[in-house]
Amino acid sequence: MRYFRLMPDTRWINRVETEAVGEVQRREWNASFQEGGSDHTAINLSVKSKPNVDYTDYLERPVPLVSDRMLEVFTLYDPALIRRAAVLTDKARMSQETYWAIYPTTMDVLSPQTERHLDGNLKRIVLGRGRTALPLFQLKEPRESIIVVNLALAESLLRRDFAGIQLVRLEQEQTI
Protein backbone atom coordinates (compact mmCIF):
# COMPACT_ATOMS: atom_id res chain seq x y z
CA MET A 1 0.00 0.00 0.00
CA ARG A 2 1.23 3.51 -0.78
CA TYR A 3 1.16 6.29 1.79
CA PHE A 4 1.28 10.06 1.47
CA ARG A 5 2.05 12.93 3.81
CA LEU A 6 -0.72 15.52 3.95
CA MET A 7 0.82 19.00 3.81
CA PRO A 8 -0.31 22.56 3.11
CA ASP A 9 0.28 23.66 -0.48
CA THR A 10 3.05 26.28 -0.38
CA ARG A 11 1.76 27.98 -3.54
CA TRP A 12 -1.02 29.60 -1.50
CA ILE A 13 0.79 32.76 -0.42
CA ASN A 14 -2.20 34.39 1.31
CA ARG A 15 -3.05 31.37 3.44
CA VAL A 16 -4.50 32.26 6.82
CA GLU A 17 -1.93 32.16 9.63
CA THR A 18 -2.70 31.91 13.31
CA GLU A 19 -0.92 33.88 15.98
CA ALA A 20 1.92 31.96 17.61
CA VAL A 21 0.94 29.25 20.07
CA GLY A 22 3.42 28.02 22.64
CA GLU A 23 4.71 24.48 22.79
CA VAL A 24 3.18 24.02 26.24
CA GLN A 25 -0.27 24.90 24.86
CA ARG A 26 0.13 22.46 21.95
CA ARG A 27 1.09 19.66 24.36
CA GLU A 28 -1.90 20.50 26.55
CA TRP A 29 -4.24 20.23 23.56
CA ASN A 30 -2.67 16.90 22.52
CA ALA A 31 -3.06 15.56 26.07
CA SER A 32 -6.72 16.59 26.17
CA PHE A 33 -7.25 14.89 22.79
CA GLN A 34 -5.79 11.65 24.13
CA GLU A 35 -7.92 11.80 27.28
CA GLY A 36 -11.00 12.59 25.22
CA GLY A 37 -12.54 14.57 28.07
CA SER A 38 -12.92 17.98 26.44
CA ASP A 39 -14.73 17.23 23.17
CA HIS A 40 -17.20 20.06 23.68
CA THR A 41 -14.74 22.88 24.29
CA ALA A 42 -13.68 24.79 21.20
CA ILE A 43 -10.12 25.91 20.61
CA ASN A 44 -9.97 29.66 20.02
CA LEU A 45 -7.18 30.93 17.78
CA SER A 46 -6.47 34.49 16.67
CA VAL A 47 -5.34 34.99 13.09
CA LYS A 48 -2.82 37.44 11.71
CA SER A 49 -4.74 40.12 9.88
CA LYS A 50 -3.72 40.71 6.25
CA PRO A 51 -5.41 42.53 3.35
CA ASN A 52 -6.07 39.25 1.50
CA VAL A 53 -6.63 36.02 3.39
CA ASP A 54 -7.40 32.60 1.94
CA TYR A 55 -9.07 30.09 4.23
CA THR A 56 -7.82 26.83 2.73
CA ASP A 57 -9.14 23.37 3.62
CA TYR A 58 -6.05 22.29 5.58
CA LEU A 59 -3.80 24.12 8.03
CA GLU A 60 -0.86 22.34 9.63
CA ARG A 61 -0.06 24.71 12.47
CA PRO A 62 -0.40 25.08 15.41
CA VAL A 63 -2.30 21.77 15.30
CA PRO A 64 -3.73 20.02 12.22
CA LEU A 65 -6.90 21.92 11.27
CA VAL A 66 -9.36 20.85 8.56
CA SER A 67 -12.47 22.37 7.02
CA ASP A 68 -15.96 20.86 7.38
CA ARG A 69 -15.73 19.36 3.88
CA MET A 70 -12.42 17.66 4.59
CA LEU A 71 -13.64 16.38 7.97
CA GLU A 72 -16.54 14.64 6.20
CA VAL A 73 -14.11 12.69 4.02
CA PHE A 74 -11.85 11.83 6.96
CA THR A 75 -14.77 10.50 9.01
CA LEU A 76 -15.82 8.26 6.11
CA TYR A 77 -12.46 6.51 6.38
CA ASP A 78 -12.05 6.83 10.16
CA PRO A 79 -15.41 7.21 11.98
CA ALA A 80 -13.65 7.20 15.37
CA LEU A 81 -11.45 10.17 14.45
CA ILE A 82 -10.98 12.41 17.49
CA ARG A 83 -11.83 16.00 16.62
CA ARG A 84 -12.55 19.29 18.29
CA ALA A 85 -13.96 22.55 16.96
CA ALA A 86 -11.47 25.36 16.40
CA VAL A 87 -12.60 28.93 15.88
CA LEU A 88 -10.24 31.19 13.91
CA THR A 89 -10.95 34.80 14.83
CA ASP A 90 -9.83 37.78 12.75
CA LYS A 91 -10.30 40.67 15.17
CA ALA A 92 -9.50 43.38 12.61
CA ARG A 93 -12.19 42.15 10.20
CA MET A 94 -14.51 41.03 13.00
CA SER A 95 -14.99 37.62 11.42
CA GLN A 96 -14.73 34.02 12.51
CA GLU A 97 -14.22 30.77 10.60
CA THR A 98 -14.80 27.32 12.04
CA TYR A 99 -12.28 24.53 11.48
CA TRP A 100 -11.77 21.17 13.14
CA ALA A 101 -8.66 20.24 15.06
CA ILE A 102 -8.05 16.55 14.35
CA TYR A 103 -6.06 14.00 16.28
CA PRO A 104 -5.71 10.78 14.26
CA THR A 105 -4.42 7.60 15.84
CA THR A 106 -0.71 8.00 16.62
CA MET A 107 1.51 5.24 15.26
CA ASP A 108 5.20 4.49 15.63
CA VAL A 109 5.86 3.19 12.12
CA LEU A 110 9.17 4.81 11.18
CA SER A 111 11.81 2.56 9.72
CA PRO A 112 15.41 2.60 10.95
CA GLN A 113 16.19 3.95 7.45
CA THR A 114 14.49 7.25 8.39
CA GLU A 115 16.93 10.18 8.39
CA ARG A 116 16.91 13.06 10.85
CA HIS A 117 18.43 16.53 10.99
CA LEU A 118 20.88 17.30 13.79
CA ASP A 119 18.10 18.99 15.79
CA GLY A 120 16.01 15.80 15.72
CA ASN A 121 13.43 16.85 13.11
CA LEU A 122 12.68 14.43 10.33
CA LYS A 123 14.71 14.87 7.15
CA ARG A 124 13.61 11.81 5.14
CA ILE A 125 10.60 9.78 6.24
CA VAL A 126 10.70 6.04 5.56
CA LEU A 127 7.77 3.94 6.77
CA GLY A 128 8.34 0.41 8.05
CA ARG A 129 6.88 -2.19 5.72
CA GLY A 130 3.85 -4.03 7.10
CA ARG A 131 3.49 -1.79 10.16
CA THR A 132 0.71 0.41 8.81
CA ALA A 133 -2.88 -0.60 8.24
CA LEU A 134 -4.96 2.50 8.90
CA PRO A 135 -6.16 4.88 6.17
CA LEU A 136 -5.38 7.95 8.33
CA PHE A 137 -2.84 8.25 11.12
CA GLN A 138 -0.31 10.57 12.70
CA LEU A 139 3.38 9.76 13.10
CA LYS A 140 4.54 9.51 16.69
CA GLU A 141 6.81 12.54 16.66
CA PRO A 142 7.19 14.90 19.61
CA ARG A 143 8.29 17.94 17.56
CA GLU A 144 5.89 18.01 14.62
CA SER A 145 2.44 16.85 13.59
CA ILE A 146 2.73 14.67 10.51
CA ILE A 147 -0.53 13.37 9.07
CA VAL A 148 -0.29 10.32 6.79
CA VAL A 149 -3.03 9.00 4.49
CA ASN A 150 -3.20 5.84 2.40
CA LEU A 151 -3.69 5.76 -1.37
CA ALA A 152 -7.49 5.34 -1.23
CA LEU A 153 -7.96 8.34 1.04
CA ALA A 154 -5.46 10.39 -0.99
CA GLU A 155 -7.46 9.70 -4.16
CA SER A 156 -10.70 10.69 -2.39
CA LEU A 157 -9.13 13.99 -1.35
CA LEU A 158 -7.87 14.73 -4.85
CA ARG A 159 -11.24 13.92 -6.46
CA ARG A 160 -12.99 16.49 -4.28
CA ASP A 161 -10.77 19.42 -5.27
CA PHE A 162 -9.75 20.67 -1.84
CA ALA A 163 -7.96 24.00 -1.71
CA GLY A 164 -4.46 24.31 -0.29
CA ILE A 165 -3.44 20.69 0.17
CA GLN A 166 -0.42 18.84 -1.10
CA LEU A 167 0.18 15.09 -0.93
CA VAL A 168 3.79 13.91 -0.89
CA ARG A 169 4.47 10.22 -1.40
CA LEU A 170 6.38 8.59 1.45
CA GLU A 171 9.05 5.96 1.01
CA GLN A 172 8.62 2.50 2.44
CA GLU A 173 11.31 0.32 3.92
CA GLN A 174 13.21 -1.75 1.39
CA THR A 175 13.56 -5.41 2.26
CA ILE A 176 16.61 -7.29 1.08
Side-chain angles (χ1 to χ4, degrees):
M1 177 63 78
R2 294 187 195 135
Y3 289 91
F4 299 84
R5 178 179 180 178
L6 178 63
M7 299 176 65
D9 190 344
T10 55
R11 295 176 294 183
W12 288 76
I13 57 174
N14 294 322
R15 169 190 307 277
V16 66
E17 294 179 39
T18 62
E19 295 290 341
V21 174
E23 186 60 32
V24 173
Q25 183 65 50
R26 281 187 63 241
R27 287 184 185 159
E28 218 173 89
W29 287 336
N30 286 340
S32 71
F33 273 133
Q34 289 172 340
E35 293 167 7
S38 58
D39 293 338
H40 304 294
T41 307
I43 297 171
N44 293 306
L45 297 166
S46 295
V47 300
K48 295 178 182 175
S49 191
K50 297 189 271 187
N52 296 321
V53 177
D54 293 323
Y55 286 89
T56 58
D57 289 301
Y58 178 70
L59 303 172
E60 195 172 47
R61 286 182 174 59
V63 291
L65 299 169
V66 298
S67 65
D68 286 330
R69 288 180 49 228
M70 189 174 278
L71 181 67
E72 286 177 21
V73 175
F74 282 167
T75 53
L76 287 174
Y77 285 85
D78 185 2
L81 177 65
I82 299 171
R83 59 203 174 257
R84 191 166 158 194
V87 179
L88 276 59
T89 305
D90 187 340
K91 293 176 184 174
R93 293 175 187 232
M94 295 192 298
S95 67
Q96 293 182 327
E97 294 289 328
T98 303
Y99 276 76
W100 293 92
I102 59 169
Y103 192 80
T105 303
T106 303
M107 296 182 69
D108 187 12
V109 296
L110 292 178
S111 162
Q113 298 170 0
T114 297
E115 297 175 10
R116 294 184 181 273
H117 293 285
L118 293 175
D119 66 357
N121 286 336
L122 293 172
K123 180 178 183 181
R124 181 175 146 244
I125 300 172
V126 181
L127 301 177
R129 190 165 292 283
R131 294 189 200 173
T132 55
L134 299 175
L136 171 68
F137 61 92
Q138 181 170 321
L139 292 182
K140 188 174 184 178
E141 277 300 304
R143 293 177 175 235
E144 37 188 340
S145 296
I146 299 174
I147 305 294
V148 178
V149 298
N150 70 4
L151 179 61
L153 179 50
E155 288 175 343
S156 285
L157 293 172
L158 293 173
R159 275 196 306 272
R160 287 173 174 81
D161 195 33
F162 287 110
I165 67 167
Q166 181 178 11
L167 295 165
V168 178
R169 186 172 178 184
L170 296 176
E171 295 179 50
Q172 287 192 314
E173 188 174 46
Q174 299 297 319
T175 55
I176 299 173

